[in-house]
Amino acid sequence: LDLDGTLLDSRKCLSQRNYAVLQECMRRGIEIVPCTGRIWQGVPDSVRLMPGIHYAITINGAVVEQVETGDILDERKFPLETALEILELAKSFDTMYDAYAGGQAFGEARFMDHMDRYGIPSQLQSMVRSTRQVVPDVIAKVRELNCPVEKINYFFGDLDERMRARKALEQREDLVISASFPYNLELNTPGATKGE
């Protein structure tokens, strides 16, 4: 099940009705697998702590994990150098950017303090704040971690600028582009999609 915009309501909450239906599915032996662009720790407690959920597809398919043990069953990540190129490319646009690496999401205060400017709706801003670790420099943090990167986000206040960035990114064959709302671009390595 996709979460945001599907299972969860506009406030990012799980309704009592949906909770009851999921419990009934599990009672009947149906495996419930949340599928999200978020890291597992960023999934609302109402879903993340639900007894009976064994697996999750997270970070848009970059990671498939056994949630009770944290064991990674499959992963599709950017090599470090590719991720750094994509993050450096973000500087060519008027965009807020962040990165998911080592199972955490990292953002910069200079962006997080001005999310309105980058088209992030007010109802999503608290979710973004709660799921990002604020660092002085995302690119420096990714270099420091020195590990593959699960996902990179770009956010735009200007849709023309978003289109310009999308056209530049579409020239690359080493990423897939998706979006969860009109003002963002979510970048994953090929094979890392919720569907796959």
Side-chain angles (χ1 to χ4, degrees), residues 31 40 53-56 63-74:
E31 194 75 45
W40 182 241
I53 292 181
H54 303 114
Y55 307 99
V63 175
V64 179
E65 59 190 289
Q66 205 289 344
V67 298
E68 294 162 341
T69 64
D71 290 342
I72 304 300
L73 305 176
D74 187 39

Side-chain angles (χ1 to χ4, degrees), residues 11-187:
R11 296 168 301 143
K12 309 296 182 192
C13 296
L14 180 65
S15 71
Q16 287 292 356
R17 180 175 184 271
N18 283 350
Y19 183 88
V21 170
L22 294 179
Q23 291 297 305
E24 178 62 18
C25 287
M26 286 188 274
R27 189 188 69 70
R28 294 181 186 198
I30 298 169
E31 194 75 45
I32 302 299
V33 181
C35 185
T36 181
R38 303 180 191 207
I39 60 174
W40 182 241
Q41 293 305 315
V43 170
D45 288 350
S46 58
V47 175
R48 191 171 49 81
L49 302 177
M50 184 181 295
I53 292 181
H54 303 114
Y55 307 99
I57 300 167
T58 60
I59 318 172
N60 284 349
V63 175
V64 179
E65 59 190 289
Q66 205 289 344
V67 298
E68 294 162 341
T69 64
D71 290 342
I72 304 300
L73 305 176
D74 187 39
E75 57 187 11
R76 314 281 172 96
K77 300 178 181 181
F78 287 116
L80 178 61
E81 288 307 315
T82 302
L84 290 171
E85 287 174 15
I86 295 166
L87 288 165
E88 290 289 347
L89 180 62
K91 294 178 180 180
S92 306
F93 309 104
D94 183 14
T95 182
M96 169 180 158
Y97 55 88
D98 59 31
Y100 291 54
Q104 296 185 358
F106 300 96
E108 296 178 21
R110 68 184 171 125
F111 297 137
M112 305 288 280
D113 293 343
H114 304 283
M115 285 192 272
D116 287 336
R117 182 175 183 275
Y118 298 101
I120 301 174
S122 56
Q123 67 269 26
L124 290 182
Q125 290 182 21
S126 60
M127 187 268 294
V128 170
R129 281 189 187 90
S130 70
T131 57
R132 305 305 192 270
Q133 181 181 353
V134 177
V135 295
D137 183 323
V138 167
I139 296 172
K141 183 64 177 181
V142 168
R143 276 197 181 98
E144 174 192 321
L145 290 171
N146 195 31
C147 67
V149 171
E150 291 100 350
K151 180 171 105 170
I152 296 168
N153 289 314
Y154 288 8
F155 300 91
F156 302 88
D158 181 313
L159 288 177
D160 290 334
E161 189 71 354
R162 179 182 183 268
M163 182 56 69
R164 193 169 77 83
R166 186 177 189 110
K167 284 180 181 176
L169 290 163
E170 285 173 344
Q171 302 306 307
R172 300 184 65 109
E173 295 181 2
D174 55 356
L175 58 81
V176 291
I177 304 169
S178 61
S180 54
F181 61 96
Y183 291 89
N184 83 328
L185 295 174
E186 299 178 36
L187 312 172

